């Protein structure tokens, strides 16, 4: 319950933070919301000689649409996403994802940047960002770079972020009309990681066919998984019940979950199918109404 | 390892302390400042017995460092009562038997008081959702919900009277 | 709906009033006084090094690195305690268990060493720095395997012990039962496993041990539900190191939940006491949640086979239950000493089953000891789960509605007091009325109709019934003792000159509201307003001797003692009244709060006036004062009962079970405080829902606990918990002074079978007849898949 000792720094500017990270790259961790990092340190499962708290750096929490892109600051709290009217009305996938991360108290501290940067496939935002075809902006000592989400998650607890980079912004294309999204998560109880979860974002074409779709799976492998085969199958088709069921089946076929107390491999895979089907239906219903 | 000088405003009063980096906010409250109303019930950020308001927002103080609270405001259960008057939520818990052993109660009341500040007329479903980060073993939650509803009604009353 | 008649005004607030709780003011202000809130001058902190192995020899314990940390003062090992003869201690069941091991560890997370430091952060660092060398030994986790010939013998400390068998217990008529089964027209048999669970009260266990070297006085503030028993145990176990019972004070302050988990004597307490005796400073030890879940007081872990014999018309003729009990590495179950299986023999339940036999074998395994906790009422949860499940299995076999089968077999009101086939005399009951009320309350007939309609559409909906009889109030001294101490309980009441009172008890509330309910009992008997009656428990220096609060025993024992003591006071007050009013006692009549002269009601004395007179104007020859003590020896146990109905819907895609409705009709006899009783039931129902759907402690073959934190030990939140509905019938207890029975565990006993019966009912048409708890979505989904109805 009590962490081992570490040094704590709370820089006032991004520059200061990055300089420190650069010089202590092998022993420093970024403290954002702390709701993934501090529990690990308390159990002495992870260690860090230095924590760099980016919580005092202004200008990292925002939700705004600009030039056809939804821009979310890396330190934006999950509760802010959950309660944002813009997110609730235009980005249902994101709102529904934020609403099922941990519990309401954790969401008051936890940040979307932290949720992604932790590189845990059991976290909820990674699959959602895959479905949204997001981009991650990483800021380092030599400037910013934009990382497409499909190149961001490298492995278990491993992302494309360098040790001296901070995730400062997430960019999501503003969806066109007749778009919808849904995040369906099966959890053993509120606050748990997903037994399985599916993130769907899609746009319907003029004829009601699926013009474009993104499907991401949570906790189904060592990284979040894009159900590319299912996406391809769906694109251009009328979303009948059979089509949805087949897409869901194809999505689950790529799942490689681990067996644990949440379920055996086969159960989790089948749940990926069931939940993808439900997420697709909900996203389509939304798209039809908006 | 360096010590940090921090200043935290707790229940309206400034407190200064010299703390290790790793000191958890809940221990700053309970050990350093002997404010034992905030409780510890787990080690994995699940139970919510440690809930306090940090700049008006309910958080689990076992998963916040004391240094993170430097220069900020904290409200604990000890700060609910003002000038000898119980907060409506405290009275609600008493009237509706929302507590039995009392251990989860401070956290429950802090979370609920924050809920009512932003949602003065929450439905049962909204109350359940708001307290889903606070575990109780004794009450089965039924009377906790009634307690929050009691407090909500009491807080709405002056405005309702004025509206007549 | 029956309610207890109110005989006192709201001002006096006796029985039946929903008095707001007198203990609330401190709790709602965050001024509760729990063990971890205690700070004494010079206090040190203790933290415990624990074994990662379930079974291993200890080769060496290296303490140098830990001792080198500034602020670490000592590291205590089994060798240290051995020099004081304290490395082993007796359990409450007269087995032995380790305080700290010298030779080997026998469960994962067993205490191996204790670090004493100046603050808890340094103590944690100290624990991290202690290095222990282990040599793993073969692990036994399956109790069946533990009893196979050739299994590794775990208790090598017991001379001559060649197996892992602890005891065999049986009761009933084996031969008659065999005959009844042989002749049965219908019989059913069902294996039922109830896994380990953990009370997980929000406050964990801990103590502050404070030994004063000058006057050799030990004070221990401890999370204990039974402070007097603990004091006596300490005196017996540690008498040889200079502790003497008159100089031991155990204080149980405010407790953040108990549920049976704060009854046992944990090694941490003993180590802290030993450390304080040696060092002469207060030592605080408070376990963290993972230690709590992994090392102390589990509950259940019964492997049962239940059989019912019946006639074709559904009349039950015989019951047989065979059980294998997994006790962990020591028998530390907190049962009355003559009852190693607790009150399991209540398993004939609410039914008039004339022939029955049950036997049980207990086994040692490489797991923590315990067994009696989690509101089990001394193994009644297990017993009722068995009878209520096998009753539904019989109903399914006979194609009979489960309510109809129950009505057919209920013990009738005119049969009370009822002698059960396994030897209990049930005091009173009206099982038919409770089930009828439950069925009316949920609209049973309409629900069955709805179920039929849904079934036709392929939707899965279930209705489950549980009609339980509980058995509480241990107990009569001829039968009930713990370590030889008889299970009476006590009340000591003293009335002050100004007519107020203090009442102290041998029980210990952990949230049950005794400061309110006991005051209401005294108010009922004496007419002194409950608000004027100060109730105290938990300090062995001042409270009369008692066996504590668990197994729903407080109202039946100490509550009765309160009434009897109050009546002794009333008897003396009557004498004072007779003296003051110059009449004989026979001329006096009592109504709440005063004695008046028959036929001349204006000539009266209030209890307050009589109290004042007891100190200022008492009759010559009479002792001054107005007080009484009663040590109440109950003539029998009491038998609360109820009928619960649960309605569930099953998600065919995920296997999730949603409890749509749950109505609990309870009968606990005359009710002291309806608000508090309902609170107990809400909480008990939630602790019935939890094991039914969510909670389980399980071990792999190496003895690794896979639910050792709240990450995987799933305590339900407000989102998983349904909105509980409650109702009451009132069938008073004929032998209790107040007609009350006790209720704290009824709901934990009755809820799980109701929920299982509902889920099985939802799937019965597919041929399902039993599901083991917890009924996780995966478990249910596997059944749906197997039956071809998964989405």
């Amino acid at each position: 319950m009590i962490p081992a000792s570490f040094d704590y720094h709370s820089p006032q500017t991004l520059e200061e933070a990055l300089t420190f990270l650069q010089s202590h790259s092998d022993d420093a961790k970024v403290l954002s919301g702390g709701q993934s990092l501090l529990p690990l340190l308390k159990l002495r499962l992870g260690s860090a000689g230095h924590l760099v708290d980016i919580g005092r750096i202004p200008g990292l929490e925002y939700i705004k649409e600009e030039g056809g892109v939804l821009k979310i600051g890396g330190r934006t709290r999950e509760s802010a996403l959950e309660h944002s009217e813009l997110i609730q009305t235009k980005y249902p996938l994101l709102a529904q994802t934020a609403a099922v991360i941990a519990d309401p108290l954790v969401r008051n501290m936890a940040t979307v940047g932290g949720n992604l940067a932790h590189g845990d496939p059991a976290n909820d935002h990674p699959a959602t960002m895959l479905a949204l075809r997001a981009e991650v902006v990483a800021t380092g000592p030599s400037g910013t770079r934009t990382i497409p989400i499909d190149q961001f998650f490298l492995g278990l607890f491993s992302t494309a972020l360098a040790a001296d980079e901070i995730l400062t912004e997430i960019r999501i294309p503003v969806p066109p009309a007749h778009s919808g999204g849904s995040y369906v998560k099966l959890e053993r109880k509120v606050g748990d990681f997903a037994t399985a979860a599916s993130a769907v974002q899609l746009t319907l074409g003029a004829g009601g066919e699926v013009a474009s779709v993104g499907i991401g799976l949570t906790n189904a492998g060592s990284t979040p998984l894009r159900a590319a085969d299912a996406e391809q199958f769906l694109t251009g088709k009328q979303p009948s019940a059979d089509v949805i069921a087949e897409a869901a089946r194809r999505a689950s076929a790529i799942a490689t979950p681990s067996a644990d107390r949440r379920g055996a491999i086969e159960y989790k895979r089948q749940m990926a199918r069931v939940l993808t089907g439900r997420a697709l239906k909900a996203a389509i219903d939304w798209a039809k109404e908006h | 390892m360096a010590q940090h000088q921090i200043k935290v405003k707790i229940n309206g009063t400034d407190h200064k302390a010299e703390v290790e980096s790793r000191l958890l906010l809940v221990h700053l409250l309970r050990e350093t400042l002997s404010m034992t109303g905030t409780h510890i019930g787990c080690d994995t950020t699940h139970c919510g017995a440690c809930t306090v308001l940090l700049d008006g927002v309910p958080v689990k103080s076992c998963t916040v460092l004391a240094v993170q609270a430097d220069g900020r405001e904290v409200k604990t259960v000890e700060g609910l009562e003002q000038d000898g008057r119980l907060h409506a939520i405290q009275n609600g818990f008493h009237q509706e038997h929302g507590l039995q052993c009392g251990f989860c109660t401070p956290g429950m009341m802090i979370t609920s008081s924050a809920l009512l500040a932003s949602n003065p007329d929450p439905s049962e479903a909204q109350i359940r959702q708001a307290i889903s980060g606070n575990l109780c073993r004794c009450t089965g939650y039924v009377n906790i919900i009634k307690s929050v509803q009691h407090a909500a009604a009491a807080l709405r009353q002056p405005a309702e009277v004025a509206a007549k | 709906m029956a309610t207890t008649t109110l005989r006192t005004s709201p001002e006096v607030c006796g029985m039946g009033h929903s008095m707001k709780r007198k203990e609330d003011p401190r709790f709602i202000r965050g001024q509760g006084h729990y063990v971890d809130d205690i700070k004494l001058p010079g206090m040190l902190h203790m933290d415990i090094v624990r074994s990662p192995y379930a079974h291993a020899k200890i080769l060496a314990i290296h303490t140098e690195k830990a001792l080198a940390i500034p602020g670490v003062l000592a590291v205590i090992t089994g060798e240290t305690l051995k020099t004081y003869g304290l490395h082993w201690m007796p359990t409450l069941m007269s087995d032995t268990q380790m305080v700290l091991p010298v030779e080997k560890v026998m469960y994962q997370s067993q205490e191996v060493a204790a670090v004493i430091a100046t603050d808890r952060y340094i103590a944690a660092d100290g624990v991290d720095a202690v290095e222990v060398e282990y040599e793993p030994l073969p692990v036994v986790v399956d109790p069946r395997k533990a009893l196979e010939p050739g299994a590794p013998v775990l208790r090598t400390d017991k001379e001559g012990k060649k197996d892992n068998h602890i005891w065999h217990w049986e009761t009933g008529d084996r031969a008659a039962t065999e005959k009844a089964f042989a002749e049965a027209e219908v019989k059913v048999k069902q294996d039922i496993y109830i896994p380990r669970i953990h009370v997980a009260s929000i406050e964990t266990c801990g103590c502050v041990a404070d030994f004063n070297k000058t006057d050799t006085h030990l004070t221990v503030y401890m999370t204990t539900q039974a402070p007097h028993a603990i004091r006596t145990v300490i005196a017996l176990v540690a008498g040889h190191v200079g502790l003497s019972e008159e100089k031991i004070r155990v204080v149980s302050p405010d407790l953040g939940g108990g549920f049976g988990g704060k009854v046992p004597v944990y090694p941490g307490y003993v180590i802290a006491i030993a450390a304080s005796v040696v060092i002469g400073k207060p030592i605080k030890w408070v376990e963290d949640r993972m230690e709590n879940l992994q090392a102390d007081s589990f509950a259940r872990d019964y492997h049962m086979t239940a059989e019912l014999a019946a006639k074709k018309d559904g009349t039950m003729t015989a019951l047989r239950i065979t059980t294998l009990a997994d006790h962990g590495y020591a028998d530390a179950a907190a049962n009355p000493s003559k009852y190693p299986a607790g009150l399991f023999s209540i398993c004939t339940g609410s039914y008039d089953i004339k022939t029955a036999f049950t036997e049980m074998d207990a086994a040692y395994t490489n797991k923590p000891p315990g067994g009696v906790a989690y509101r089990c009422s001394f193994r009644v949860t297990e017993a009722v789960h068995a009878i209520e499940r096998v009753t539904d299995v019989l109903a399914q076999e006979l194609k009979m509605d489960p309510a109809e089968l129950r009505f057919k077999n209920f013990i009738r009101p005119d049969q009370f007091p009822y002698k059960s086939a396994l030897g209990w005399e049930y005091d009173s009951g009206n099982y038919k009325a409770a089930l009828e009320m439950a069925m009316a309350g949920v609209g049973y007939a309409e629900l069955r109709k709805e179920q039929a309609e849904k079934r036709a559409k392929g939707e899965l909906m279930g209705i489950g019934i549980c009609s339980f009889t509980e058995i509480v109030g241990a107990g009569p001294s001829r039968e009930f003792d713990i370590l030889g101490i008889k299970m009476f309980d006590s009340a000591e009441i003293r009335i002050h000159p100004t007519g107020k009172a203090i009442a102290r008890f041998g029980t210990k509330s952990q949230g049950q509201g005794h400061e309110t309910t006991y005051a209401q009992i005294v108010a009922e008997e004496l007419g002194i307003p409950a608000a004027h009656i100060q109730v105290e428990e938990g300090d062995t220096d001042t409270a009369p001797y008692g066996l504590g609060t668990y197994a729903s025993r407080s109202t039946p024992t100490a509550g009765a003692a309160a009434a009897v003591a109050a009546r002794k006071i009333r008897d003396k007050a009557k004498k004072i009244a007779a003296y003051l009013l110059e009449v004989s006692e026979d001329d006096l009549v009592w109504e709440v709060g005063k004695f008046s002269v028959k036929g001349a009601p204006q000539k009266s004395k209030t209890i307050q006036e009589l109290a004042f007179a007891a100190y200022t104007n008492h009759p010559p020859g009479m002792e001054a004062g107005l007080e009484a003590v009663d040590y109440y020896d109950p003539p029998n146990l009491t038998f609360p009962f109820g009928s619960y109905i649960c309605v569930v819907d099953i998600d065919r895609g995920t296997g999730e079970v949603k409890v749509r409705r749950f109505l609990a009709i309870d009968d606990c006899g005359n009710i002291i405080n309806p608000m508090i009783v309902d609170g107990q039931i809400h909480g008990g129902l939630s602790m019935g829902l939890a094991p039914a759907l969510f909670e389980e402690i399980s071990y792999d073959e190496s003895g690794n606990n896979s639910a050792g934190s709240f990450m995987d030990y799933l305590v339900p939140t407000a989102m998983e918990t349904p909105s509980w509905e409650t109702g009451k019938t009132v069938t008073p207890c004929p032998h209790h002074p107040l007609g009350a029975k006790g209720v704290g565990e009824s709901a934990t006993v009755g809820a799980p079978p109701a929920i299982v019966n509902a889920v099985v009912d939802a799937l019965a048409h597919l041929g399902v007849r039993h599901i083991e708890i917890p009924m996780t979505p995966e478990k249910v989904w596997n059944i749906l898949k197997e039956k071809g109805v998964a989405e």
Side-chain angles (χ1 to χ4, degrees), chain C residues 655-710:
Chain C
E656 285 170 294
V657 171
K658 293 268 148 69
V659 173
R660 189 205 298 179
R661 253 196 107 171
F662 196 110
L663 173 60
I665 303 297
D666 278 277
D667 193 315
C668 57
N670 285 336
I671 292 174
I672 305 167
N673 184 321
M675 176 189 81
I676 287 181
V677 167
D678 271 350
Q680 290 297 298
I681 293 174
H682 297 154
L685 291 174
S686 301
M687 290 182 87
L689 175 88
L693 296 179
F694 298 97
E695 295 176 9
E696 178 179 7
I697 300 221
S698 44
Y699 298 83
D700 67 17
E701 276 178 10
S702 304
N704 295 311
N705 182 335
S706 61
S709 78
F710 276 169

Side-chain angles (χ1 to χ4, degrees), chain A residues 1-8 38 41-42 44 51, chain B residues 1-4 19-25 27 62 64-67, chain C residues 69 119-126:
Chain A
M1 157 93 197
I2 289 162
S5 291
F6 50 78
D7 275 338
Y8 168 87
L38 291 179
L41 294 179
K42 283 165 65 181
R44 304 201 178 197
L51 291 199
Chain B
M1 295 279 161
Q3 297 278 86
H4 300 267
V19 303
E20 279 186 87
S21 306
R22 62 172 170 166
L23 183 72
L24 303 175
L25 176 58
H27 285 134
C62 70
V64 177
L65 299 172
V67 286
Chain C
I69 298 173
D119 76 38
R120 67 179 73 213
Y121 277 55
I122 296 173
D125 292 340

Side-chain angles (χ1 to χ4, degrees), chain C residues 496-526:
Chain C
H496 305 318
T498 56
K500 315 296 199 299
I502 183 160
R504 296 181 164 124
F505 296 84
T507 52
K508 177 60 205 171
S509 179
Q510 316 110 45
Q512 295 92 327
H514 292 174
E515 288 171 45
T516 306
T517 54
Y518 286 156
Q520 289 182 256
I521 292 174
V522 179
E524 178 79 15
E525 295 294 326
L526 293 179

